[in-house]
Amino acid sequence: GAVVSQHPSRVICKSGTSVKIECRSLDFQATTMFWYRQFPKQSLMLMATSNEGSKATYEQGVEKDKFLINHASLTLSTLTVTSAHPEDSSFYICSARDRDSTDTQYFGPGTRLTVL
Amino acid sequence: QKEVEQNSGPLSVPEGAIASLNCTYSDRGSQSFFWYRQYSGKSPELIMSIYSNGDKEDGRFTAQLNKASQYVSLLIRDSQPSDSATYLCAVKLGRDSTLTFGKGTMLLVSP
């Protein structure tokens, strides 16, 4: 089956630092990748959609200058949380859509970010 | 505004029983429907997809879709304690559109 990896799985950082999260599709090519955020006991919230080679589309209320997304290849997208603050602490999950089967999204294992 | 509604639960069933999870959606043009399972602290895992009215079976899981009623459900037969998780219903308008998730229903299967 389709596998999506994320790295790191867990990160703790100080307030004001930037954190980069990588999302890779391991056995398929993903023209579109999605970044979600999930707070405890809350639903998944879509932050942005990124298409390979073009700028990401951000959902309303998500600051594009704070959450930088790069989708430089068909297998890699990165999310950089810039100048992180404690309120950015959350579970960040990426998802990739198979280019050959554009209907199904596969999720990565998630990255738990804690900002002190 | 697209909405997907689920009862938050928890839905409690004894081991071996059938668990029935329900979902309604607001956009009548929705074409694709998915059920994901999410264990606590983990990311969602795709269980089933369904596109046509009727039932679709995969092992102990059966997805049911009724587009006229804008209703999709997931039945889990012979429920096991390992099925205890939050089940997310997700809906898409078309192949290239984004998924809209419900808030999920927590299922608890007691031994």
mmCIF file of all heavy atoms in Angstrom, chain A residues 85-112:
data_model
loop_
_atom_site.group_PDB
_atom_site.id
_atom_site.type_symbol
_atom_site.label_atom_id
_atom_site.label_comp_id
_atom_site.label_asym_id
_atom_site.label_seq_id
_atom_site.Cartn_x
_atom_site.Cartn_y
_atom_site.Cartn_z
ATOM 1 N N HIS A 85 5.592 29.593 18.613
ATOM 2 C CA HIS A 85 5.154 29.997 19.935
ATOM 3 C C HIS A 85 4.374 28.856 20.582
ATOM 4 O O HIS A 85 3.927 27.940 19.882
ATOM 5 C CB HIS A 85 4.306 31.264 19.851
ATOM 6 C CG HIS A 85 5.102 32.481 19.527
ATOM 7 N ND1 HIS A 85 5.268 32.941 18.230
ATOM 8 C CD2 HIS A 85 5.822 33.322 20.305
ATOM 9 C CE1 HIS A 85 6.031 34.013 18.240
ATOM 10 N NE2 HIS A 85 6.384 34.272 19.479
ATOM 11 N N PRO A 86 4.193 28.898 21.887
ATOM 12 C CA PRO A 86 3.486 27.793 22.555
ATOM 13 C C PRO A 86 2.129 27.468 21.939
ATOM 14 O O PRO A 86 1.739 26.296 21.909
ATOM 15 C CB PRO A 86 3.356 28.306 23.991
ATOM 16 C CG PRO A 86 4.574 29.147 24.183
ATOM 17 C CD PRO A 86 4.770 29.850 22.864
ATOM 18 N N GLU A 87 1.433 28.446 21.428
ATOM 19 C CA GLU A 87 0.113 28.174 20.840
ATOM 20 C C GLU A 87 0.204 27.397 19.524
ATOM 21 O O GLU A 87 -0.830 26.933 18.998
ATOM 22 C CB GLU A 87 -0.675 29.468 20.622
ATOM 23 C CG GLU A 87 0.002 30.487 19.735
ATOM 24 C CD GLU A 87 0.784 31.513 20.535
ATOM 25 O OE1 GLU A 87 1.280 31.175 21.636
ATOM 26 O OE2 GLU A 87 0.928 32.646 20.033
ATOM 27 N N ASP A 88 1.424 27.272 18.987
ATOM 28 C CA ASP A 88 1.626 26.466 17.778
ATOM 29 C C ASP A 88 1.815 24.988 18.118
ATOM 30 O O ASP A 88 1.881 24.147 17.211
ATOM 31 C CB ASP A 88 2.843 26.959 16.992
ATOM 32 C CG ASP A 88 2.686 28.377 16.501
ATOM 33 O OD1 ASP A 88 1.555 28.748 16.109
ATOM 34 O OD2 ASP A 88 3.679 29.131 16.513
ATOM 35 N N SER A 89 1.920 24.684 19.394
ATOM 36 C CA SER A 89 2.062 23.288 19.809
ATOM 37 C C SER A 89 0.835 22.506 19.354
ATOM 38 O O SER A 89 -0.296 22.859 19.672
ATOM 39 C CB SER A 89 2.201 23.202 21.327
ATOM 40 O OG SER A 89 3.354 23.889 21.769
ATOM 41 N N SER A 90 1.072 21.459 18.615
ATOM 42 C CA SER A 90 -0.043 20.698 18.037
ATOM 43 C C SER A 90 0.510 19.446 17.370
ATOM 44 O O SER A 90 1.716 19.196 17.369
ATOM 45 C CB SER A 90 -0.782 21.566 17.013
ATOM 46 O OG SER A 90 -1.965 20.932 16.559
ATOM 47 N N PHE A 91 -0.398 18.677 16.822
ATOM 48 C CA PHE A 91 -0.049 17.474 16.047
ATOM 49 C C PHE A 91 -0.202 17.858 14.575
ATOM 50 O O PHE A 91 -1.301 18.195 14.141
ATOM 51 C CB PHE A 91 -0.999 16.349 16.454
ATOM 52 C CG PHE A 91 -0.631 14.983 15.957
ATOM 53 C CD1 PHE A 91 0.684 14.540 15.951
ATOM 54 C CD2 PHE A 91 -1.619 14.102 15.517
ATOM 55 C CE1 PHE A 91 1.014 13.267 15.523
ATOM 56 C CE2 PHE A 91 -1.294 12.823 15.083
ATOM 57 C CZ PHE A 91 0.024 12.414 15.089
ATOM 58 N N TYR A 92 0.902 17.841 13.849
ATOM 59 C CA TYR A 92 0.883 18.223 12.440
ATOM 60 C C TYR A 92 0.954 16.960 11.590
ATOM 61 O O TYR A 92 1.847 16.132 11.760
ATOM 62 C CB TYR A 92 2.050 19.158 12.119
ATOM 63 C CG TYR A 92 1.906 20.513 12.765
ATOM 64 C CD1 TYR A 92 2.342 20.725 14.069
ATOM 65 C CD2 TYR A 92 1.303 21.570 12.089
ATOM 66 C CE1 TYR A 92 2.182 21.961 14.672
ATOM 67 C CE2 TYR A 92 1.144 22.806 12.682
ATOM 68 C CZ TYR A 92 1.584 22.983 13.983
ATOM 69 O OH TYR A 92 1.413 24.210 14.583
ATOM 70 N N ILE A 93 0.019 16.830 10.682
ATOM 71 C CA ILE A 93 -0.079 15.615 9.877
ATOM 72 C C ILE A 93 -0.095 15.991 8.394
ATOM 73 O O ILE A 93 -0.866 16.880 7.992
ATOM 74 C CB ILE A 93 -1.365 14.820 10.184
ATOM 75 C CG1 ILE A 93 -1.542 14.632 11.687
ATOM 76 C CG2 ILE A 93 -1.344 13.466 9.494
ATOM 77 C CD1 ILE A 93 -2.898 14.042 12.067
ATOM 78 N N CYS A 94 0.739 15.322 7.631
ATOM 79 C CA CYS A 94 0.688 15.549 6.191
ATOM 80 C C CYS A 94 -0.079 14.413 5.531
ATOM 81 O O CYS A 94 -0.223 13.322 6.087
ATOM 82 C CB CYS A 94 2.081 15.685 5.592
ATOM 83 S SG CYS A 94 2.975 14.136 5.430
ATOM 84 N N SER A 95 -0.553 14.682 4.345
ATOM 85 C CA SER A 95 -1.285 13.687 3.573
ATOM 86 C C SER A 95 -0.918 13.867 2.112
ATOM 87 O O SER A 95 -0.685 14.991 1.665
ATOM 88 C CB SER A 95 -2.784 13.878 3.784
ATOM 89 O OG SER A 95 -3.523 12.992 2.986
ATOM 90 N N ALA A 96 -0.850 12.783 1.393
ATOM 91 C CA ALA A 96 -0.465 12.852 -0.011
ATOM 92 C C ALA A 96 -1.492 12.145 -0.873
ATOM 93 O O ALA A 96 -2.064 11.124 -0.474
ATOM 94 C CB ALA A 96 0.912 12.215 -0.197
ATOM 95 N N ARG A 97 -1.686 12.710 -2.045
ATOM 96 C CA ARG A 97 -2.635 12.109 -2.990
ATOM 97 C C ARG A 97 -1.833 11.480 -4.118
ATOM 98 O O ARG A 97 -0.993 12.130 -4.734
ATOM 99 C CB ARG A 97 -3.604 13.166 -3.504
ATOM 100 C CG ARG A 97 -4.769 12.615 -4.274
ATOM 101 C CD ARG A 97 -5.939 13.561 -4.247
ATOM 102 N NE ARG A 97 -5.659 14.837 -4.865
ATOM 103 C CZ ARG A 97 -6.466 15.902 -4.748
ATOM 104 N NH1 ARG A 97 -7.556 15.810 -4.027
ATOM 105 N NH2 ARG A 97 -6.177 17.020 -5.349
ATOM 106 N N ASP A 98 -2.118 10.236 -4.383
ATOM 107 C CA ASP A 98 -1.419 9.492 -5.418
ATOM 108 C C ASP A 98 -1.724 10.076 -6.796
ATOM 109 O O ASP A 98 -2.883 10.214 -7.165
ATOM 110 C CB ASP A 98 -1.865 8.021 -5.344
ATOM 111 C CG ASP A 98 -1.061 7.092 -6.231
ATOM 112 O OD1 ASP A 98 -0.435 7.572 -7.210
ATOM 113 O OD2 ASP A 98 -1.076 5.887 -5.953
ATOM 114 N N ARG A 99 -0.702 10.391 -7.552
ATOM 115 C CA ARG A 99 -0.882 10.966 -8.887
ATOM 116 C C ARG A 99 -1.671 10.032 -9.798
ATOM 117 O O ARG A 99 -2.467 10.475 -10.617
ATOM 118 C CB ARG A 99 0.483 11.253 -9.520
ATOM 119 C CG ARG A 99 0.385 11.877 -10.902
ATOM 120 C CD ARG A 99 1.750 12.109 -11.500
ATOM 121 N NE ARG A 99 2.442 10.881 -11.823
ATOM 122 C CZ ARG A 99 3.593 10.826 -12.495
ATOM 123 N NH1 ARG A 99 4.164 11.951 -12.891
ATOM 124 N NH2 ARG A 99 4.168 9.673 -12.747
ATOM 125 N N ASP A 100 -1.469 8.747 -9.611
ATOM 126 C CA ASP A 100 -2.123 7.773 -10.479
ATOM 127 C C ASP A 100 -3.517 7.394 -9.990
ATOM 128 O O ASP A 100 -4.235 6.664 -10.644
ATOM 129 C CB ASP A 100 -1.262 6.515 -10.606
ATOM 130 C CG ASP A 100 0.051 6.823 -11.324
ATOM 131 O OD1 ASP A 100 0.034 7.703 -12.205
ATOM 132 O OD2 ASP A 100 1.061 6.190 -10.983
ATOM 133 N N SER A 101 -3.870 7.841 -8.809
ATOM 134 C CA SER A 101 -5.198 7.536 -8.257
ATOM 135 C C SER A 101 -5.615 8.736 -7.439
ATOM 136 O O SER A 101 -5.558 8.724 -6.217
ATOM 137 C CB SER A 101 -5.135 6.284 -7.370
ATOM 138 O OG SER A 101 -6.376 6.068 -6.719
ATOM 139 N N THR A 102 -6.018 9.785 -8.109
ATOM 140 C CA THR A 102 -6.165 11.080 -7.445
ATOM 141 C C THR A 102 -7.292 11.126 -6.428
ATOM 142 O O THR A 102 -7.524 12.146 -5.825
ATOM 143 C CB THR A 102 -6.403 12.189 -8.474
ATOM 144 O OG1 THR A 102 -7.552 11.840 -9.249
ATOM 145 C CG2 THR A 102 -5.204 12.384 -9.363
ATOM 146 N N ASP A 103 -7.973 10.001 -6.226
ATOM 147 C CA ASP A 103 -9.086 10.062 -5.314
ATOM 148 C C ASP A 103 -8.727 9.773 -3.868
ATOM 149 O O ASP A 103 -9.460 10.153 -2.973
ATOM 150 C CB ASP A 103 -10.171 9.078 -5.773
ATOM 151 C CG ASP A 103 -11.510 9.446 -5.231
ATOM 152 O OD1 ASP A 103 -11.921 10.608 -5.381
ATOM 153 O OD2 ASP A 103 -12.146 8.585 -4.613
ATOM 154 N N THR A 104 -7.616 9.098 -3.647
ATOM 155 C CA THR A 104 -7.332 8.620 -2.304
ATOM 156 C C THR A 104 -6.183 9.385 -1.681
ATOM 157 O O THR A 104 -5.168 9.629 -2.304
ATOM 158 C CB THR A 104 -6.981 7.118 -2.346
ATOM 159 O OG1 THR A 104 -8.051 6.417 -2.977
ATOM 160 C CG2 THR A 104 -6.794 6.584 -0.938
ATOM 161 N N GLN A 105 -6.372 9.791 -0.433
ATOM 162 C CA GLN A 105 -5.332 10.448 0.336
ATOM 163 C C GLN A 105 -4.784 9.506 1.384
ATOM 164 O O GLN A 105 -5.556 8.845 2.081
ATOM 165 C CB GLN A 105 -5.881 11.684 1.060
ATOM 166 C CG GLN A 105 -5.989 12.911 0.212
ATOM 167 C CD GLN A 105 -6.509 14.101 0.984
ATOM 168 O OE1 GLN A 105 -7.417 14.785 0.531
ATOM 169 N NE2 GLN A 105 -5.958 14.354 2.143
ATOM 170 N N TYR A 106 -3.467 9.493 1.496
ATOM 171 C CA TYR A 106 -2.792 8.687 2.501
ATOM 172 C C TYR A 106 -2.094 9.625 3.476
ATOM 173 O O TYR A 106 -1.468 10.599 3.079
ATOM 174 C CB TYR A 106 -1.790 7.741 1.842
ATOM 175 C CG TYR A 106 -2.448 6.802 0.852
ATOM 176 C CD1 TYR A 106 -2.488 7.102 -0.505
ATOM 177 C CD2 TYR A 106 -3.056 5.627 1.286
ATOM 178 C CE1 TYR A 106 -3.111 6.247 -1.407
ATOM 179 C CE2 TYR A 106 -3.673 4.768 0.380
ATOM 180 C CZ TYR A 106 -3.702 5.093 -0.963
ATOM 181 O OH TYR A 106 -4.321 4.253 -1.844
ATOM 182 N N PHE A 107 -2.198 9.267 4.744
ATOM 183 C CA PHE A 107 -1.668 10.135 5.779
ATOM 184 C C PHE A 107 -0.308 9.668 6.281
ATOM 185 O O PHE A 107 -0.045 8.468 6.381
ATOM 186 C CB PHE A 107 -2.634 10.195 6.959
ATOM 187 C CG PHE A 107 -3.820 11.076 6.691
ATOM 188 C CD1 PHE A 107 -4.925 10.581 6.023
ATOM 189 C CD2 PHE A 107 -3.817 12.399 7.098
ATOM 190 C CE1 PHE A 107 -6.016 11.385 5.767
ATOM 191 C CE2 PHE A 107 -4.906 13.214 6.849
ATOM 192 C CZ PHE A 107 -6.005 12.707 6.177
ATOM 193 N N GLY A 108 0.527 10.634 6.606
ATOM 194 C CA GLY A 108 1.763 10.334 7.301
ATOM 195 C C GLY A 108 1.469 10.089 8.770
ATOM 196 O O GLY A 108 0.349 10.308 9.228
ATOM 197 N N PRO A 109 2.478 9.653 9.528
ATOM 198 C CA PRO A 109 2.269 9.310 10.933
ATOM 199 C C PRO A 109 2.142 10.516 11.847
ATOM 200 O O PRO A 109 1.796 10.364 13.018
ATOM 201 C CB PRO A 109 3.514 8.482 11.281
ATOM 202 C CG PRO A 109 4.545 8.973 10.327
ATOM 203 C CD PRO A 109 3.826 9.313 9.068
ATOM 204 N N GLY A 110 2.418 11.701 11.348
ATOM 205 C CA GLY A 110 2.255 12.901 12.160
ATOM 206 C C GLY A 110 3.521 13.320 12.881
ATOM 207 O O GLY A 110 4.427 12.522 13.120
ATOM 208 N N THR A 111 3.567 14.600 13.213
ATOM 209 C CA THR A 111 4.664 15.186 13.986
ATOM 210 C C THR A 111 4.070 15.950 15.157
ATOM 211 O O THR A 111 3.241 16.845 14.957
ATOM 212 C CB THR A 111 5.492 16.153 13.125
ATOM 213 O OG1 THR A 111 6.102 15.439 12.045
ATOM 214 C CG2 THR A 111 6.566 16.843 13.961
ATOM 215 N N ARG A 112 4.492 15.562 16.346
ATOM 216 C CA ARG A 112 3.983 16.266 17.525
ATOM 217 C C ARG A 112 4.966 17.368 17.877
ATOM 218 O O ARG A 112 6.118 17.093 18.216
ATOM 219 C CB ARG A 112 3.798 15.309 18.698
ATOM 220 C CG ARG A 112 3.067 15.975 19.861
ATOM 221 C CD ARG A 112 2.449 14.954 20.795
ATOM 222 N NE ARG A 112 1.495 14.050 20.156
ATOM 223 C CZ ARG A 112 0.253 14.377 19.863
ATOM 224 N NH1 ARG A 112 -0.198 15.577 20.104
ATOM 225 N NH2 ARG A 112 -0.548 13.471 19.319
#
